[in-house]
Amino acid sequence: MPVDPFLPLAYLTRMAIRPIITLPDEKILRQVSKPVKSVDEGVRAVFDDMLETMYKAPGIGLAAVQIGVPQRLIVLDVAREGEEKRPLFLANPEVIWTSEEFGEYEEGCLSIPDFYEMVQRPRDVKVRFLDRLGEPHEMAASGLLATCLQHEIDHLNGILFIDRISKLKRDRVVKKFQKAQKLGKL
Ligand code: GNR
Ligand code: NI
């Protein structure tokens, strides 16, 4: 029986820390990410790079577009420092319900370093997604997890948390990053 001697590239990949795209690179960050057709080895390789990149940063969530891959993939881990790691992998996530009540959190973003601002969002959400093996799930979330899920799903739609604060503050932070790049400081 003929056997293909070439290994699929995915078998050769190792987890890697990838550079995180930051402002002012809106060309990438504003892209609307595409759903994955199936959760295969290639997708799992991206998931693993995302997780390693997120832990190294460190952050509690990361969308694939933040490492320049415009696919609808998210990793999350809201476990606190010292607690056991509890990574979540979500492919093609969809918000299927939001509470009427809003909550407020001080948000930050690895793509907008050293900037933090209070953001209001629905307090509780239900999300449907495929896990790392492609199995479908529905999950209810509240608190920091609900905030982080919404922040990451926003990334998949090209939305940044600064779009949810005042225009004055948003324009100020975008200008700061544009200027820093011109001065060669990014
Ligand atoms: O690490 C992160 N912390 C955070 C804090 C409050 C609300 C959202 C977040 S997500 C952020 C990582 C990130 O930029 N994900 O896209
Ligand atoms: Ni972010």
Side-chain angles (χ1 to χ4, degrees):
M1 199 165 59
V3 173
D4 182 359
F6 292 97
L7 278 171
L9 186 60
Y11 284 98
L12 302 173
T13 62
R14 292 284 177 282
M15 273 214 258
I17 292 161
R18 306 232 219 149
I20 295 176
I21 314 289
T22 64
L23 284 183
D25 195 346
E26 296 194 70
K27 190 146 189 276
I28 291 178
L29 293 173
R30 296 302 188 177
Q31 287 186 48
V32 177
S33 296
K34 295 251 176 359
V36 295
K37 293 206 176 85
S38 73
V39 183
D40 57 15
E41 287 303 318
V43 165
R44 278 187 282 277
V46 176
F47 267 147
D48 293 347
D49 283 1
M50 289 167 66
L51 195 71
E52 199 179 12
T53 303
M54 180 191 81
Y55 283 145
K56 170 79 193 319
I60 58 171
L62 194 74
V65 70
Q66 293 179 275
I67 58 165
V69 177
Q71 299 182 349
R72 301 187 81 83
L73 303 173
I74 288 170
V75 296
L76 281 175
D77 191 337
V78 296
R80 266 170 281 192
E81 215 183 294
E83 288 178 359
E84 207 179 327
K85 287 190 173 17
R86 288 195 76 215
L88 267 172
F89 301 88
L90 300 90
N92 301 345
E94 289 173 77
V95 175
I96 55 172
W97 176 83
T98 57
S99 60
E100 310 236 328
E101 301 83 14
F102 276 61
E104 202 175 33
Y105 258 98
E106 182 169 67
E107 297 197 17
C109 182
L110 295 171
S111 295
I112 312 171
D114 304 314
F115 180 75
Y116 306 89
E117 204 46 67
M118 297 303 289
V119 179
Q120 286 164 9
R121 299 181 186 272
R123 196 189 57 191
D124 314 300
V125 293
K126 285 201 178 98
V127 176
R128 179 183 294 151
F129 63 96
L130 303 176
D131 67 17
R132 201 175 177 284
L133 298 174
E135 294 296 321
H137 294 268
E138 283 182 18
M139 183 176 71
S142 58
L144 181 60
L145 181 59
T147 294
C148 194
L149 280 165
Q150 293 175 81
H151 174 116
E152 304 311 337
I153 292 171
D154 268 356
H155 274 299
L156 304 184
N157 295 322
I159 297 168
L160 301 171
F161 86 94
I162 53 170
D163 301 340
R164 303 192 180 280
I165 64 176
S166 78
K167 178 168 159 52
L168 183 74
K169 287 177 177 165
R170 175 170 64 253
D171 288 350
R172 201 191 288 152
V173 68
V174 169
K175 283 212 179 79
K176 190 189 90 170
F177 279 95
Q178 288 169 343
K179 186 170 171 189
Q181 190 178 58
K182 278 204 194 86
L183 296 172
K185 289 180 181 166
L186 276 176

